[in-house]
């Protein structure tokens, strides 16, 4: 005997069939994805085992398979392309030295490498912050020395205006390159390393220009009092 459904009952039946088909399709997709991830984990684990034996070809293969994802992770943390490239390079150097410490029973290979990248990225941000603080602190101290006045009230408006004019004159007496690096270091809050990257100069050259500029600024302001 055939059962024929009409109207709402038919629509309900079709919806249930469609929903179950969709759920079955999702289950298959998830199963296939899990199988792919498992295969990928096995492949990466095998490469890490070879890297632990100082196999340069294995490291090259590992880099080709994983660097796009790890670079994306580094970019999300440091938000600067050149910094992210440095982070990834440092991370693979660490992986080259420490692949023997990896244990597949403790974490998937991508999770292990992702933790390394994140750790290196946070280290880089801390270094940048420290360098930037040192740079601005150095200039703050120089300005504090040169702008100290003999008046009882250091906030006296007339004295402040006079010191500001003297500072402007002294800055104008600096060489262009010294004035530029001091301005970038102080006004834009850039570290020595960031200045070197932006100006495309050796780090030692930037540090020398800043040091000489500060010394000239101190001498000029001292003579202005």
């Amino acid at each position: 005997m055939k059962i024929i459904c009409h109207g709402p009952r038919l629509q309900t039946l079709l919806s249930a069939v469609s929903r179950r088909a969709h759920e079955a399709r999702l289950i298959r997709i998830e199963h296939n994805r899990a199988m792919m991830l498992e295969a990928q984990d096995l492949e990466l684990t095998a490469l890490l085992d070879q890297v632990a034996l100082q196999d340069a070809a294995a490291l090259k293969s590992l880099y080709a398979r994983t660097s796009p994802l790890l670079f994306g992770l580094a970019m999300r943390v440091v938000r600067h392309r050149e910094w992210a490239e440095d982070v990834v390079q440092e991370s693979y150097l660490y992986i080259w030295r420490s692949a023997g410490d990896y244990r597949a029973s403790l974490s998937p290979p991508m999770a292990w490498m992702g933790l390394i990248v994140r750790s290196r990225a946070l280290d880089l941000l801390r270094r940048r912050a420290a360098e930037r603080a040192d740079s601005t602190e150095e200039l703050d101290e120089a300005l504090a020395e040169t702008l100290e006045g003999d008046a009882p009230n250091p906030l006296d408006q007339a004295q402040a205006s006079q010191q500001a004019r003297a500072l402007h004159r002294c800055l104008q007496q600096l060489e262009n390159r010294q004035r530029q690096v001091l301005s970038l270091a102080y006004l834009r809050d850039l570290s020595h390393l960031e200045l070197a990257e932006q100006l495309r100069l050796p780090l030692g050259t930037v540090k020398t220009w800043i040091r000489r500029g500060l010394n000239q600024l101190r001498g000029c302001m001292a003579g202005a009092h």
Side-chain angles (χ1 to χ4, degrees), residues 59 63 67 70-71 74 81-97 113 116-117 120-121 124 127:
L59 180 65
Y63 181 89
S67 60
L70 296 181
F71 178 78
R81 185 175 185 83
E82 292 182 2
W83 296 2
E85 291 173 350
D86 290 342
V87 165
V88 170
Q89 182 178 6
E90 289 182 11
S91 298
Y92 279 100
L93 288 174
Y94 181 86
I95 290 169
W96 173 254
R97 295 191 299 265
M113 290 186 287
I116 292 172
V117 169
R120 292 296 175 276
L124 183 141
R127 289 198 305 270

Side-chain angles (χ1 to χ4, degrees), residues 28-45:
R28 287 196 301 272
I29 291 173
E30 288 300 320
H31 176 74
N32 292 338
R33 184 179 300 167
M35 294 293 290
M36 290 176 59
L37 287 175
E38 183 178 353
Q40 181 188 53
D41 287 351
L42 290 174
E43 179 185 13
L44 296 181
T45 299

